Amino acid sequence: MAEATQTHPCADVEDVPELSDGDSVSDDDKEQWQWMEEDTQQVTCLFCDRLLNSVPDTLQHCTAEHQVNLIDVIKKHNLDDYSYIKLINFIRSTKCEPSHLMGLPDGPLPWESEDFLRPVIQDDPLLQTDPEDLCGRQGTVASTCRPLEAESNHALLLRATSAEDALARSLEDLQKLKLLVQGLVLNAETGRAANLSSVAELRDDEDEAYFSSYGHYGIHEEMLKDKVRTESYRDFIYSNPEVFRDKVVLDVGCGTCILSMFAAKAGAKQVIAVDQSEIIYQAMDIVRSNKLEDKITLLKGRIEDISLPVEKVDVIISEWMGYFLLFESMLDSVLVARDLYLDDGGSVYPDLCNISLAAVGDEQKHQECIAFWDDVYGFNMSCMRKVVVPEAAVQVLNADTLISEPAVIQTIDCNKVCLSELEFASDFCLKMTKTTDCTALVGYFDVFFDKGCCNKVMFSTGPQVTKTHWKQTVFQLERPFAVQAGEELRGKITLRKNKKDPRSLLVTFELRDRKITYNVQ
Ligand code: SAH
């Protein structure tokens, strides 16, 4: 209370009595301060930047200027104190359009997430107003200010939520501190890394950079413009309407909501679209602009952390694939969603994925990337090889440089696979098609929409077909070796998550008595 008084913009600094601590203020004083504060505090409109002199003025302004009668909204959805607070924060944080608010159908409300308990504006007078008073159940709008001793349930709730908020912030700080200490210990004891193996175990602060990269529109533009990717999803959804008609669909990592909108158009009864990144605020506008708000429910949060408004879903769609398929480890999150929410008989799409390898003979590329370091302006920098070689490169490979038939090293069935199977070892055999030097191996993946589909759809990210934004993953060999056409090159690949960064991969090849580990990051 004292804090709010001291920072009040209308307070005349010279008139403010010195407060040593809260205890020295009498109850009478407290009451007087509270009344003064509420009498003078201005209210920012919910839909524009106007500052109004009181809560009733704000309500009138919202009705006259934005055609939103807040009291009607409260009554229509029968909002209790909790839901009312969430509603106010929802409108402020999502910059929700007035028309959207008035046109909401019955059913799950878009402000159900606990995230909306967090105040968007500090000391928001609208939050300090009791919805019961607004609706005239216990009094009139004018009675929104009350002395402390007559504190309402609403005020208690408000105090509880802001205390919770403060507690959450302290816990966050503690977590950060813990992380810092962990980091120090890890640096001191090299080789002992945290034992994380799933992104589901990551905390928000650890994953912040990942989700903030998806907050920018650029990455979504790139994905949407990847026609091979987006049209495959579209063709699968539109050409198999029986999979979607009257079904409840969960879109894990909805981004701009493109997949959710395809599903809604294909006849889904309800689509629940979840994303933790800030792009979801754009997705809310996109869904409204396409008049699909009655079909698509958007939720901001990590799929691992939020609770859905339904118990089970019939279909899960997601575009989770990363470089070399498993980079990013987003499949972990889809599996969490599958195990929590997919109904018996339901399906995850895409359902099948293959990871393939082939041998590459590209002297020129090897020269440019690896041998380059042996003589740089007359200086020997070949020690750089040991840092350059282990970094797998994401690049588009010229199909003419392939010197073997491809071999599938792993098939993943998203409806059956379990988390531990996303780390694996596999023997492979590459049948050589040319007599030349093998300079690298290339990895890529194929994706299938197959289960129960009348019209099956697939796409490949291999070098022989139209390129995608995943390109290919190239593993340069430090020393090329000779191969003969018809020869079978046998080897072993091991793929595991990097324990220090579970979103990146460590890929080890055992080939011709050599063993080398690459980073895919
Ligand atoms: N479905 C969209 C976006 C795909 S990109 C499209 O096809 O265009 C993947 C999206 O998943 C990103 O927006 C990312 O923020 C989101 N995402 C990744 N892991 C998530 C998780 N665990 N919970 C919620 N969203 C997640």
Side-chain angles (χ1 to χ4, degrees):
M1 217 60 227
E3 243 178 66
T5 310
Q6 283 168 330
T7 57
H8 197 290
C10 301
D12 180 346
V13 178
E14 284 178 10
D15 288 341
V16 177
E18 258 188 44
L19 303 176
S20 53
D21 61 49
D23 291 338
S24 62
V25 185
S26 74
D27 279 354
D28 282 355
D29 286 340
K30 273 190 195 163
E31 192 177 316
Q32 192 190 354
W33 277 106
Q34 183 161 346
W35 279 85
M36 280 178 60
E37 194 181 299
E38 288 174 353
D39 280 348
T40 52
Q41 199 166 352
Q42 290 196 304
V43 190
T44 310
C45 168
L46 285 167
F47 303 102
C48 67
D49 295 334
R50 268 285 291 278
L51 284 174
L52 289 306
N53 286 331
S54 67
V55 169
D57 282 1
T58 312
L59 298 190
Q60 260 171 18
H61 164 84
C62 286
T63 311
E65 294 294 320
H66 305 293
Q67 288 73 51
V68 172
N69 185 330
L70 203 63
I71 295 172
D72 284 354
V73 178
I74 296 168
K75 283 185 176 164
K76 176 174 173 199
H77 300 289
N78 206 9
L79 299 186
D80 59 12
D81 283 354
Y82 252 112
S83 317
Y84 166 77
I85 291 173
K86 290 192 209 171
L87 165 70
I88 299 297
N89 293 325
F90 165 79
I91 299 174
R92 293 211 191 276
S93 62
T94 64
K95 304 200 176 5
C96 153
E97 289 288 332
S99 56
H100 173 55
L101 205 62
M102 296 311 283
L104 281 175
D106 293 336
L109 297 166
W111 55 86
E112 272 169 12
S113 161
E114 300 284 294
D115 284 354
F116 296 122
L117 282 173
R118 276 194 177 198
V120 178
I121 295 182
Q122 235 195 343
D123 302 321
D124 188 344
L126 276 174
L127 291 182
Q128 289 159 30
T129 305
D130 189 330
E132 286 208 341
D133 287 348
L134 283 182
C135 296
R137 277 174 234 154
Q138 283 189 346
T140 61
V141 171
S143 71
T144 51
C145 308
R146 59 181 76 242
L148 274 178
E149 53 269 42
E151 206 167 22
S152 66
N153 285 344
H154 176 79
L156 285 171
L157 180 61
L158 204 65
R159 290 215 295 166
T161 50
S162 68
E164 258 176 36
D165 204 32
L167 183 64
R169 278 200 303 272
S170 309
L171 285 174
E172 260 171 38
D173 288 348
L174 263 176
Q175 283 286 19
K176 279 184 195 151
L177 211 63
K178 211 171 116 190
L179 205 66
L180 200 76
V181 173
Q182 259 177 13
L184 289 175
V185 173
L186 283 179
N187 282 343
E189 298 172 36
T190 39
R192 263 197 56 208
N195 196 26
L196 285 175
S197 60
S198 162
V199 296
E201 295 166 44
L202 285 171
R203 294 182 309 267
D204 283 359
D205 53 347
E206 286 174 313
D207 240 7
E208 214 174 279
Y210 173 72
F211 286 113
S212 82
S213 73
Y214 278 113
H216 191 265
Y217 75 88
I219 193 166
H220 295 277
E221 181 176 350
E222 186 188 15
M223 289 188 287
L224 293 169
K225 284 182 174 168
D226 181 340
K227 285 189 165 198
V228 172
R229 178 201 91 109
T230 311
E231 291 185 0
S232 298
Y233 275 87
R234 181 200 62 189
D235 294 349
F236 150 64
I237 295 172
Y238 284 174
S239 64
N240 293 285
E242 69 286 353
V243 174
F244 293 91
R245 197 173 300 121
D246 299 325
K247 298 288 172 52
V248 178
V249 178
L250 171 62
D251 180 355
V252 178
C254 62
T256 54
C257 260
I258 184 72
L259 307 184
S260 295
M261 294 191 291
F262 287 152
K265 290 270 183 216
K269 179 165 73 184
Q270 186 188 8
V271 185
I272 300 159
V274 180
D275 207 299
Q276 160 70 337
S277 83
E278 305 262 309
I279 194 70
I280 196 147
Y281 297 126
Q282 312 306 322
M284 288 172 181
D285 284 343
I286 292 171
V287 165
R288 271 198 301 276
S289 310
N290 290 282
K291 303 200 170 24
L292 287 169
E293 61 267 38
D294 55 335
K295 285 267 182 263
I296 302 176
T297 307
L298 292 117
L299 300 173
K300 181 173 186 299
R302 272 174 29 116
I303 189 73
E304 292 86 349
D305 304 336
I306 58 165
S307 50
L308 296 192
V310 294
E311 237 172 65
K312 292 288 169 194
V313 303
D314 303 303
V315 177
I316 294 179
I317 47 172
S318 183
E319 198 281 79
W320 51 266
M321 293 82 77
Y323 300 132
F324 202 39
L325 189 68
L326 295 175
F327 174 73
E328 258 186 65
S329 292
M330 192 183 150
L331 181 55
D332 293 21
S333 305
V334 175
L335 300 190
V336 168
R338 180 197 68 187
D339 297 343
L340 283 175
Y341 299 115
L342 192 65
D343 213 346
D344 296 341
S347 300
V348 177
Y349 292 104
D351 51 325
L352 298 176
C353 304
N354 282 341
I355 303 179
S356 295
L357 283 181
V360 180
D362 190 344
E363 255 322 309
Q364 196 188 332
K365 193 80 176 193
H366 193 271
Q367 185 68 34
E368 278 168 22
C369 303
I370 311 296
F372 163 79
W373 297 101
D374 297 347
D375 178 0
V376 183
Y377 298 96
F379 296 101
N380 179 351
M381 296 193 185
S382 56
C383 58
M384 291 293 285
R385 280 177 173 240
K386 66 178 180 301
V387 291
V388 174
V389 173
E391 264 188 35
V394 174
Q395 52 194 220
V396 177
L397 197 97
N398 180 348
D400 296 342
T401 63
L402 291 177
I403 57 166
S404 80
E405 288 173 8
V408 173
I409 55 142
Q410 186 74 341
T411 297
I412 291 176
D413 181 339
C414 299
N415 285 294
K416 296 192 181 137
V417 74
C418 63
L419 198 65
S420 61
E421 290 167 329
L422 301 183
E423 296 182 293
F424 57 85
S426 169
D427 292 325
F428 62 84
C429 173
L430 299 174
K431 183 136 193 259
M432 293 298 149
T433 51
K434 286 187 188 159
T435 300
T436 182
D437 275 355
C438 176
T439 60
L441 295 179
V442 61
Y444 61 88
F445 60 91
D446 305 326
V447 172
F448 301 83
F449 300 89
D450 190 273
K451 190 182 161 197
C453 294
C454 297
N455 296 300
K456 300 183 191 305
V457 172
M458 70 83 60
F459 70 92
S460 173
T461 66
Q464 309 89 336
V465 290
T466 311
K467 70 169 192 215
T468 68
H469 78 286
W470 287 286
K471 303 177 185 172
Q472 286 90 41
T473 305
V474 180
F475 306 93
Q476 293 289 349
L477 299 175
E478 185 177 2
R479 277 169 290 123
F481 53 79
V483 290
Q484 301 282 321
E487 177 188 339
E488 288 187 339
L489 180 66
R490 292 180 183 277
K492 181 176 178 183
I493 178 173
T494 309
L495 188 146
R496 60 200 149 86
K497 290 171 185 155
N498 185 344
K499 298 237 182 295
K500 288 185 201 154
D501 169 16
R503 290 204 181 271
S504 73
L505 298 176
L506 294 173
V507 179
T508 304
F509 287 102
E510 288 166 58
L511 199 61
R512 290 252 174 119
D513 298 328
R514 301 174 199 176
K515 186 170 178 177
I516 172 161
T517 297
Y518 296 85
N519 232 309
V520 181
Q521 61 183 3

